[in-house]
Amino acid sequence: MTATQVIVSLLGIVALLLWGVGLVSAGVMSGFGPSLRQTLATRLDNRLAAIVGGTLVTMALQSSTATAMMVTSFTAGGLVALVPALSVMLGANLGTALIVQALSFDLGLVYPLLIFTGYVLQRRRANPRLSEVGRILLGLGVILLSLELLSALVVPLEDAPDVRQVMTLIVQDPVLAMLLAVLFTVLAHSSVGAILFIMSLAQIGILSAPSTIAMVVGANIGSAINPLIAASGGDRSHLRLPVGNLANRLAGGVMTMLLLAPISAAAERFGVPGQRLAPDFHLVFNLVMALVSVPLLPAAARLLTRLFPEDARPEDAGRPLYLDTASLDRPKVALANAAREVLRMADIAEAMLDGSRKVFRDADPIALSRIRRTDDEIDRLYGAVRRYLSRISQGDLTEADKRRLFEILDFAVNIEHVGDIVDANLMAIAAQRIDDRQILNEEEMVRIGEMHERLIAHLRLAVSVLIDGDATSARQLVAEKERFRDYERAANEEQFRQILSGQLPKGQSANRYLDVVRDLKRIEAHIAATVYPLLERTGDLKSSRLA
């Protein structure tokens, strides 16, 4: 096999690997995205929890880059503070190391089963969650298949002395080997693929122990560059997390390269096989960096905040206007401030729903992009309100104040969920309508428009309930949920009728319409949930069969 054949084959395998990673990430985000976002956004109480959360989310997404971009958006929106966000990235890097550990063993009999099972489940369109599980399994199978092809590509190099000699000359210098690994990882957008490729080269003896370790260092540095590139071009404060993560990787890389000789000697002394050195050192490197970095994160966050201040934004809808810290010692005033800010969230959510209706009607890509940016504003306001409410002294709150605090926080949580559903779900379907095909017919578009109008009216009703505490309006809002159940029931019956008659629209229009109806019904449920605290207090919630 010539060098040209090796390079061309490698490009195809890398593309297959990235496609598999993309399938897993898309399946996880579509089927379980809101849960992951909620986990990262609200359950980072301490650095250890953040590290564990980052590890688990990265193992689910199969990509530390995807985790980095998600958490960067949270920090930019004020939903997650910088210290726990940096902790999440330590966990994300550890998550990739655990993924590599799992993939470094012989899984040749697993990927055919994963691909077959994933393909079968993905065709279960009637069950969207099960279909997404199928996409995840299919992606995992494609990843394992690409790794099998990678091994098949590398092993014959043992019998190709010319190619072997060229590659050995290239990677014999540890510094050059590290730089090549950085470049490969950046281009491949996958440290997992880079580490497994390094493992394959070490297995056939092309890499020495120092070069293997140096390339692992390069893969770790390269994995931190893509999130930095993605965050550039916006507000300077958005660079804090990716720059902090890259600085962490660079610091660990520099120390490793300075201690390369003793580390290599230790690996040989402990008898670590060449094919295990890359994944094992990758895990050790990230474990050590996590342990060493955790105590330094507060100081690092302060430095990054000074280096990358927020850009001036005089007309920033996501910047809180009413959260006056001087009022925190006066609970009633502070709660009124928080309520005013939450009403701004509701106004933004109403604008998103109105914009969503227009996007579906007019297929306007500019409006779609504007809505997706608007969700960041809701996220930032939600984070600010949540932190502000947590700073109110609990000892100064009366029972009535505590109930009001809970009502305001519950309202904010549900409005934030409304924004997430519009952004992540409805706009994804609208983007398909814009990009490639007409996936909804005119009758379906009319019904979607009607549902949007009802949602906007119900959101305004929920706002009035928050302001005046009218239990009658609250009961009316909860009762309106039945109309959306009717919409969903009618959509299911129509799809079933079309399947039986063999008239299912080309392009699976019925499935897409049903997805939209279900997402709009979820939004209605969140709007109705904003009044549950009031109905629970008045005793109406238990008696309502709709609750």
Side-chain angles (χ1 to χ4, degrees):
M1 182 179 290
T2 66
T4 301
Q5 290 174 317
V6 170
I7 293 173
V8 172
S9 299
L10 181 60
L11 290 175
I13 293 171
V14 169
L16 186 65
L17 174 64
L18 293 179
W19 183 53
V21 171
L23 284 174
V24 174
S25 295
V28 170
M29 289 304 297
S30 180
F32 309 95
S35 300
L36 292 179
R37 287 170 61 90
Q38 184 72 4
T39 297
L40 285 180
T42 62
R43 299 182 182 177
L44 306 181
D45 300 330
N46 55 61
R47 278 169 262 178
L48 178 60
I51 290 174
V52 173
T55 301
L56 295 178
V57 169
T58 300
M59 293 180 70
L61 294 175
Q62 298 286 297
S63 172
S64 61
T65 300
T67 304
M69 291 178 178
M70 187 187 302
V71 180
T72 297
S73 70
F74 288 158
T75 55
L79 202 57
V80 176
L82 188 54
V83 170
L86 290 168
S87 302
V88 168
M89 289 314 305
L90 293 176
N93 296 324
L94 186 57
T96 61
L98 293 175
I99 294 170
V100 169
Q101 284 290 319
L103 296 179
S104 63
F105 296 99
D106 185 9
L107 299 173
L109 295 178
V110 178
Y111 75 82
L113 181 61
L114 287 175
I115 291 176
F116 174 76
T117 305
Y119 175 76
V120 172
L121 292 180
Q122 193 183 24
R123 296 177 63 85
R124 299 291 298 273
R125 301 294 186 183
N127 188 331
R129 180 65 65 89
L130 194 60
S131 178
E132 296 304 337
V133 171
R135 180 155 55 157
I136 294 168
L137 295 179
L138 182 60
L140 289 173
V142 170
I143 290 172
L144 295 178
L145 172 61
S146 65
L147 298 178
E148 190 80 5
L149 294 174
L150 183 62
S151 298
L153 173 68
V154 172
V155 170
L157 296 181
E158 290 185 285
D159 302 321
D162 293 339
V163 176
R164 182 188 179 95
Q165 183 177 11
V166 171
M167 296 188 68
T168 303
L169 287 174
I170 291 174
V171 298
Q172 67 179 353
D173 178 66
V175 175
L176 180 58
M178 180 193 70
L179 295 176
L180 287 173
V182 171
L183 180 62
F184 180 85
T185 307
V186 171
L187 294 177
H189 283 69
S190 173
S191 60
V192 172
I195 296 295
L196 293 172
F197 181 59
I198 295 166
M199 184 183 75
S200 300
L201 293 179
Q203 185 175 2
I204 62 174
I206 288 180
L207 295 177
S208 62
S211 294
T212 300
I213 293 171
M215 291 192 78
V216 171
V217 169
N220 277 275
I221 294 173
S223 68
I225 292 177
N226 284 315
L228 178 61
I229 295 173
S232 61
D235 193 310
R236 285 177 296 172
S237 63
H238 297 183
L239 296 173
R240 294 171 185 168
L241 181 62
V243 167
N245 184 45
L246 178 59
N248 178 273
R249 304 289 90 190
L250 287 172
V254 169
M255 292 302 299
T256 301
M257 296 302 289
L258 291 176
L259 299 174
L260 190 58
I263 293 174
S264 302
E268 293 177 0
R269 186 163 57 251
F270 284 106
V272 180
Q275 68 270 23
R276 293 297 315 167
L277 181 56
D280 291 349
F281 178 73
H282 184 44
L283 178 60
V284 171
F285 177 86
N286 283 288
L287 276 172
V288 171
M289 290 308 300
L291 293 173
V292 171
S293 302
V294 165
L296 305 176
L297 292 182
R302 289 192 295 271
L303 177 60
L304 289 166
T305 301
R306 284 198 298 270
L307 291 175
F308 302 99
E310 289 189 5
D311 292 339
R313 285 175 290 190
E315 306 230 348
D316 183 2
R319 186 183 296 276
L321 300 180
Y322 304 112
L323 303 182
D324 180 17
T325 56
S327 302
L328 287 171
D329 57 348
R330 291 174 291 169
K332 292 189 183 302
V333 177
L335 290 174
N337 292 341
R340 293 177 71 187
E341 210 65 69
V342 167
L343 293 179
R344 291 185 63 217
M345 291 178 61
D347 289 340
I348 297 172
E350 180 180 332
M352 290 183 71
L353 287 171
D354 187 53
S356 172
R357 176 178 56 183
K358 293 176 181 176
V359 168
F360 276 101
R361 184 188 65 201
D362 303 332
D364 183 356
I366 297 176
L368 186 148
S369 299
R370 186 164 53 248
I371 289 174
R372 288 189 154 167
R373 290 195 302 271
T374 302
D375 181 52
D376 292 337
E377 296 169 0
I378 289 185
D379 289 342
R380 292 175 62 204
L381 285 177
Y382 169 63
V385 169
R386 186 167 58 89
R387 289 193 301 272
Y388 185 78
L389 291 174
S390 69
R391 295 175 63 188
I392 299 177
S393 175
Q394 296 294 310
D396 297 331
L397 293 174
T398 65
E399 288 302 316
D401 291 336
K402 290 178 181 178
R403 287 195 299 268
R404 183 58 174 167
L405 187 150
F406 177 70
E407 289 173 359
I408 294 170
L409 181 59
D410 193 70
F411 192 99
V413 168
N414 282 289
I415 294 301
E416 194 268 340
H417 284 323
V418 169
D420 285 345
I421 295 170
V422 174
D423 176 26
N425 297 65
L426 290 178
M427 291 303 97
I429 298 174
Q432 288 184 322
R433 171 174 166 78
I434 292 170
D435 290 342
D436 47 19
R437 57 194 177 277
Q438 175 77 21
I439 59 173
L440 297 167
N441 61 46
E442 288 302 317
E443 183 180 353
E444 292 166 347
M445 290 299 303
V446 170
R447 292 175 185 168
I448 288 172
E450 292 174 356
M451 294 177 74
H452 275 89
E453 290 174 3
R454 288 189 179 276
L455 288 175
I456 292 171
H458 294 171
L459 181 57
R460 291 172 180 170
L461 187 60
V463 167
S464 71
V465 172
L466 180 68
I467 294 173
D468 57 30
D470 180 17
T472 302
S473 297
R475 288 191 294 270
Q476 177 188 344
L477 181 57
V478 173
E480 286 289 334
K481 287 175 60 178
E482 187 64 27
R483 292 182 181 272
F484 281 78
R485 292 176 182 173
D486 291 339
Y487 280 117
E488 183 181 28
R489 192 179 301 113
N492 274 312
E493 290 173 355
E494 176 65 14
Q495 177 174 270
F496 186 61
R497 184 191 65 77
Q498 291 174 344
I499 291 173
L500 290 180
S501 63
Q503 297 176 349
L504 190 66
K506 191 175 182 180
Q508 298 294 308
S509 170
N511 284 330
R512 288 302 177 190
Y513 172 61
L514 188 57
D515 288 343
V516 175
V517 171
R518 285 172 174 166
D519 288 331
L520 293 174
K521 178 172 172 277
R522 287 173 58 203
I523 291 174
E524 170 67 14
H526 283 296
I527 293 175
T530 61
V531 303
Y532 284 179
L534 172 62
L535 293 179
E536 190 171 18
R537 176 156 49 91
T538 60
D540 291 312
L541 186 60
K542 293 180 181 178
S543 62
S544 174
R545 70 180 181 88
L546 298 174

